[in-house]
Amino acid sequence: MSRIVFVNGAFVPEADAKISIFDRGFLFADGVYEVTPVVNGRLVDYDAHMERLDRSLKELRMAAPCPAAEMRTMHEELVKRNRLGEGIIYMQVTRGVADRQFNFPKDARSSLVGFTQTMALIDNPNARTGVKVVTTPDIRWLRRDIKSVMLLAPVLGKQEAYEKGAAEGWMVEDGFVTEGTSSNAYIVKDNTIITRPLSNRILAGCTRKALFRLAREHGVRIEERAFTPEEALAADEAFLTSASQFVMPIVEIDGQRIGGGQPGPITRRMREFFLQEAQKA
Ligand code: PDD
């Protein structure tokens, strides 16, 4: 199916979408992005994604591409024009088009693009079996709290994971797991969910934020602290969260089974809470 995409103010068929070769997103990865889930044709957690977008833009001193209401309309129109039932909206803002120079251009205007991607979020078959992860060194920069399009390290980490038969790479720094290449990382021990606290070393996941709220509402304990790969191997359960996977069980780390190789009960509960809420959104 040919999609209708959004490029700098216009909805166009994907084959007609054009971006300048001088766009700083293309030349310098000088841009930020968001991935917002869509379930039953409705945006899930939209406000949290836009709050994070604003923060990313501010941290990089990048201008907002349009007023908040227009951004919402763009998202809703993309859903409508593509008849998207379930999947994601990808949106990207860059510092705009200018002759190639490293410092910020004076009069460039931010570029904005958006597109849809159909995906099975609710009935994702991986959620029934759980997925495998492998550990890999975290070779990223130290502003991982900014959702930058500079994703070469995650690309290499994910490719390494795929080549080893795993779905995700858990990145390790100074002996501790930071996060997945495109997800946040969790283990469960003695009925407590353990995950790294927010800092510049990880992205503040919107799904993570929702998970914390749901855990509080349902009386599930969360401990915010870094954990080691060794601790993860000895955990009762493990899982990851992201906008495109929600709560995804992990059943193997570096070839070693976790929790008997089955999705764990707390993970399954948290996924169920999340799905219920997403379907009501
Ligand atoms: N990735 N950590 C990293 C490094 C990520 O790239 C992501 C999301 C997350 C989870 O954030 P959220 O729950 O807000 O999706 C954590 C998106 C899905 C992506 O790049 O496709």
Side-chain angles (χ1 to χ4, degrees), residues 33-37 49 52 88 90 119 140 144 147-148 151 154 168 171 179-186 202-209 241-246:
Y33 74 108
E34 280 297 331
V35 173
T36 305
H49 285 279
R52 187 173 63 192
I88 55 114
Y90 176 93
M119 279 183 200
R140 297 175 300 164
R144 304 159 195 164
K147 199 160 171 59
S148 146
L151 292 173
E168 179 60 303
M171 297 180 284
E179 60 184 332
T181 63
S182 63
S183 57
N184 289 118
Y186 310 77
I202 65 168
L203 183 74
C206 295
T207 322
R208 179 187 187 279
K209 189 176 177 182
T241 64
S242 81
S244 51
Q245 306 205 68
F246 295 159

Coordinates of all heavy atoms in Angstrom, one line a residue, residues 33-37 49 52 88 90 119 140 144 147-148 151 154 168 171 179-186 202-209 241-246, ligand 1:
Y33 N 13.1 12.8 17.2 CA 12.0 12.1 16.7 C 11.1 11.6 17.8 O 11.5 11.6 19.0 CB 12.4 10.9 15.7 CG 13.0 9.7 16.4 CD1 12.3 8.5 16.5 CD2 14.2 9.8 17.0 CE1 12.8 7.4 17.1 CE2 14.8 8.6 17.6 CZ 14.0 7.5 17.7 OH 14.6 6.4 18.3
E34 N 9.9 11.1 17.4 CA 9.0 10.4 18.4 C 8.3 9.3 17.6 O 8.1 9.4 16.4 CB 8.0 11.4 19.0 CG 8.5 12.3 20.1 CD 8.9 11.5 21.3 OE1 8.4 10.4 21.6 OE2 9.8 12.0 22.0
V35 N 8.0 8.3 18.4 CA 7.2 7.1 17.8 C 6.0 7.0 18.7 O 6.2 6.7 19.9 CB 8.1 5.8 17.8 CG1 7.2 4.6 17.4 CG2 9.3 6.0 16.9
T36 N 4.8 7.3 18.2 CA 3.6 7.2 19.0 C 2.8 6.0 18.6 O 2.5 5.9 17.4 CB 2.8 8.5 18.9 OG1 3.7 9.6 19.2 CG2 1.6 8.5 19.8
P37 N 2.4 5.2 19.5 CA 1.5 4.0 19.1 C 0.1 4.4 18.8 O -0.4 5.5 19.3 CB 1.5 3.1 20.3 CG 2.2 3.9 21.4 CD 2.7 5.2 20.9
H49 N 4.4 11.7 24.7 CA 5.4 11.8 23.6 C 5.7 13.2 23.2 O 6.8 13.6 22.9 CB 4.8 11.0 22.4 CG 5.0 9.5 22.6 ND1 6.2 8.8 22.4 CD2 4.1 8.6 23.0 CE1 6.0 7.6 22.7 NE2 4.7 7.4 23.1
R52 N 7.9 14.9 25.7 CA 9.3 14.5 25.6 C 9.9 15.2 24.3 O 11.1 15.6 24.3 CB 9.5 13.0 25.4 CG 10.9 12.5 25.4 CD 11.0 11.0 25.5 NE 10.4 10.4 24.3 CZ 10.1 9.1 24.3 NH1 10.5 8.3 25.3 NH2 9.6 8.5 23.2
I88 N 2.1 2.5 14.3 CA 2.8 3.7 14.9 C 2.8 4.9 14.0 O 2.7 4.7 12.8 CB 4.3 3.4 15.3 CG1 5.1 2.8 14.1 CG2 4.3 2.4 16.5 CD1 6.2 3.7 13.7
Y90 N 5.5 7.8 13.1 CA 6.9 8.3 13.3 C 6.9 9.7 12.9 O 6.4 10.1 11.8 CB 7.8 7.5 12.4 CG 9.2 8.0 12.4 CD1 10.2 7.4 13.3 CD2 9.7 9.0 11.6 CE1 11.5 7.9 13.4 CE2 11.0 9.5 11.7 CZ 11.9 9.0 12.6 OH 13.1 9.4 12.6
M119 N 1.5 -2.1 12.3 CA 2.1 -3.2 13.1 C 1.1 -3.8 14.0 O 0.1 -3.1 14.4 CB 3.1 -2.5 14.1 CG 4.4 -2.2 13.5 SD 5.4 -1.5 14.9 CE 6.6 -0.6 14.0
R140 N 27.2 4.5 22.9 CA 26.6 5.7 22.5 C 27.2 7.0 23.2 O 27.9 6.8 24.2 CB 25.1 5.6 22.9 CG 24.4 4.6 22.1 CD 22.9 4.4 22.6 NE 22.9 4.1 24.0 CZ 21.8 4.2 24.7 NH1 20.7 4.6 24.2 NH2 21.8 3.8 26.0
R144 N 21.8 10.5 26.1 CA 20.8 9.5 25.6 C 19.4 9.8 26.1 O 18.4 9.2 25.7 CB 21.1 8.1 26.1 CG 22.6 7.7 25.7 CD 23.1 6.6 26.6 NE 24.5 6.5 26.5 CZ 25.3 5.9 27.3 NH1 24.8 5.3 28.4 NH2 26.6 5.8 27.1
K147 N 15.9 12.3 22.5 CA 15.6 11.3 21.5 C 16.0 11.7 20.1 O 15.3 12.2 19.2 CB 14.0 11.1 21.5 CG 13.6 9.7 20.9 CD 12.3 9.3 21.3 CE 11.8 8.1 20.5 NZ 12.6 6.9 20.6
S148 N 17.4 11.6 19.9 CA 18.0 12.1 18.7 C 17.9 11.0 17.6 O 17.9 9.8 17.9 CB 19.5 12.4 19.1 OG 20.3 12.1 18.0
L151 N 21.3 7.4 15.4 CA 21.0 6.0 15.9 C 22.0 4.9 15.4 O 21.6 3.8 15.4 CB 19.6 5.7 15.5 CG 18.5 6.5 16.2 CD1 17.1 6.2 15.7 CD2 18.5 6.3 17.7
P154 N 22.7 2.2 18.1 CA 21.6 1.2 18.2 C 21.4 0.3 17.0 O 21.0 -0.8 17.1 CB 20.4 2.1 18.4 CG 20.9 3.4 19.0 CD 22.3 3.5 18.4
E168 N 16.6 -8.3 20.6 CA 17.1 -7.0 21.1 C 18.4 -7.1 21.8 O 18.8 -8.2 22.2 CB 16.1 -6.5 22.2 CG 16.4 -5.2 22.9 CD 16.5 -4.0 22.0 OE1 17.3 -4.0 21.0 OE2 15.7 -3.0 22.2
M171 N 22.3 -3.0 26.2 CA 23.6 -2.4 26.2 C 24.2 -2.3 27.6 O 23.4 -2.0 28.6 CB 23.5 -1.0 25.6 CG 23.0 -1.2 24.1 SD 22.9 0.4 23.2 CE 21.3 0.9 23.9
E179 N 20.1 0.2 28.8 CA 18.8 -0.1 28.2 C 18.9 -0.9 27.0 O 20.0 -1.3 26.6 CB 18.1 1.3 28.0 CG 18.8 2.1 27.0 CD 18.2 3.5 26.8 OE1 17.0 3.6 26.9 OE2 18.9 4.4 26.4
G180 N 17.8 -1.2 26.3 CA 17.8 -1.9 25.0 C 18.2 -0.9 23.9 O 18.2 0.3 24.1
T181 N 18.5 -1.4 22.7 CA 18.9 -0.5 21.6 C 17.7 0.4 21.3 O 17.9 1.5 20.8 CB 19.4 -1.3 20.4 OG1 18.3 -2.1 19.9 CG2 20.5 -2.2 20.7
S182 N 16.5 -0.1 21.4 CA 15.3 0.8 21.2 C 14.2 0.5 22.2 O 13.0 0.5 21.8 CB 14.8 0.6 19.7 OG 14.4 -0.7 19.5
S183 N 14.6 0.3 23.4 CA 13.6 0.0 24.5 C 14.2 0.1 25.9 O 15.5 0.2 26.0 CB 13.1 -1.5 24.3 OG 14.2 -2.4 24.4
N184 N 13.4 0.2 26.9 CA 13.9 0.2 28.3 C 14.0 -1.2 28.8 O 13.3 -2.1 28.3 CB 13.1 1.1 29.2 CG 13.3 2.6 28.8 OD1 12.3 3.3 28.4 ND2 14.5 3.1 29.0
A185 N 14.9 -1.4 29.8 CA 15.2 -2.8 30.3 C 14.8 -3.0 31.7 O 15.0 -2.1 32.6 CB 16.7 -3.1 30.1
Y186 N 14.2 -4.2 32.0 CA 13.7 -4.5 33.4 C 14.0 -5.9 33.7 O 14.0 -6.8 32.8 CB 12.2 -4.3 33.4 CG 11.6 -3.0 32.9 CD1 11.6 -2.8 31.5 CD2 11.2 -2.0 33.7 CE1 11.1 -1.6 31.0 CE2 10.8 -0.8 33.2 CZ 10.7 -0.6 31.9 OH 10.2 0.6 31.4
I202 N 20.1 7.0 29.8 CA 19.0 6.3 29.1 C 17.9 7.3 28.7 O 17.9 8.4 29.1 CB 18.3 5.2 30.0 CG1 17.6 5.8 31.3 CG2 19.4 4.2 30.5 CD1 16.7 4.9 32.0
L203 N 17.1 6.8 27.8 CA 15.9 7.6 27.3 C 14.8 7.3 28.3 O 14.5 6.2 28.7 CB 15.5 7.1 25.9 CG 14.3 7.9 25.4 CD1 14.8 9.3 24.9 CD2 13.7 7.2 24.2
A204 N 14.1 8.5 28.7 CA 12.9 8.4 29.5 C 11.8 7.8 28.7 O 11.1 8.6 28.0 CB 12.6 9.7 30.1
G205 N 11.6 6.6 28.7 CA 10.5 6.0 27.9 C 9.1 6.4 28.3 O 8.8 6.4 29.5
C206 N 8.3 6.7 27.3 CA 6.9 7.0 27.6 C 6.2 5.7 28.1 O 5.3 5.8 29.0 CB 6.2 7.5 26.4 SG 6.9 9.1 25.9
T207 N 6.5 4.6 27.6 CA 5.9 3.3 28.1 C 6.4 3.0 29.5 O 5.6 2.5 30.3 CB 6.3 2.2 27.1 OG1 6.3 2.7 25.8 CG2 5.4 1.0 27.2
R208 N 7.6 3.4 29.8 CA 8.2 3.2 31.1 C 7.4 4.1 32.1 O 7.0 3.6 33.2 CB 9.7 3.7 31.1 CG 10.4 3.6 32.5 CD 11.7 4.3 32.3 NE 12.6 4.1 33.5 CZ 12.5 4.9 34.6 NH1 11.6 5.9 34.7 NH2 13.3 4.7 35.7
K209 N 7.1 5.3 31.7 CA 6.3 6.2 32.5 C 4.9 5.6 32.8 O 4.4 5.6 34.0 CB 6.2 7.5 31.8 CG 5.6 8.6 32.6 CD 5.6 9.9 31.9 CE 4.9 11.1 32.6 NZ 4.9 12.3 31.8
T241 N 10.3 -2.5 27.5 CA 9.1 -1.7 27.1 C 9.5 -0.7 26.0 O 10.7 -0.2 26.0 CB 8.6 -0.8 28.3 OG1 9.5 0.1 28.7 CG2 8.1 -1.7 29.4
S242 N 8.6 -0.5 25.1 CA 8.7 0.6 24.1 C 7.4 0.8 23.5 O 6.4 0.0 23.6 CB 9.7 0.2 23.0 OG 9.1 -0.6 22.0
A243 N 7.3 2.0 22.8 CA 6.0 2.4 22.1 C 5.5 1.3 21.1 O 4.4 1.2 20.9 CB 6.2 3.7 21.5
S244 N 6.5 0.6 20.5 CA 6.1 -0.3 19.4 C 6.0 -1.7 20.0 O 5.5 -2.6 19.2 CB 7.1 -0.3 18.3 OG 8.4 -0.4 18.7
Q245 N 6.4 -2.0 21.2 CA 6.3 -3.3 21.7 C 5.5 -3.4 23.0 O 5.2 -4.5 23.5 CB 7.7 -3.9 22.0 CG 8.5 -3.8 20.7 CD 9.6 -4.8 20.7 OE1 9.4 -6.0 20.6 NE2 10.8 -4.3 20.9
F246 N 5.2 -2.2 23.6 CA 4.5 -2.2 24.9 C 5.3 -2.9 25.9 O 6.5 -2.6 26.1 CB 3.1 -2.7 24.8 CG 2.2 -1.8 24.0 CD1 1.0 -2.3 23.4 CD2 2.5 -0.5 23.7 CE1 0.2 -1.6 22.6 CE2 1.7 0.3 22.9 CZ 0.5 -0.3 22.3
Ligands
PDD1 N1 12.4 3.6 20.7 N2 15.2 3.6 24.9 C1 15.6 3.8 23.7 C2 17.0 3.9 23.3 C3 14.6 3.9 22.6 O1 14.9 4.1 21.4 C4 13.2 3.8 23.0 C5 12.1 3.9 22.0 C6 12.9 3.5 24.4 C7 11.5 3.4 24.8 O2 10.8 4.6 24.8 P1 9.2 4.7 24.5 O3 8.6 3.8 25.5 O4 8.8 6.1 24.7 O5 9.0 4.2 23.1 C8 13.9 3.5 25.3 C9 11.4 3.8 19.6 C10 10.2 3.0 19.8 C11 12.1 3.6 18.3 O6 13.2 4.2 18.1 O7 11.5 3.0 17.4

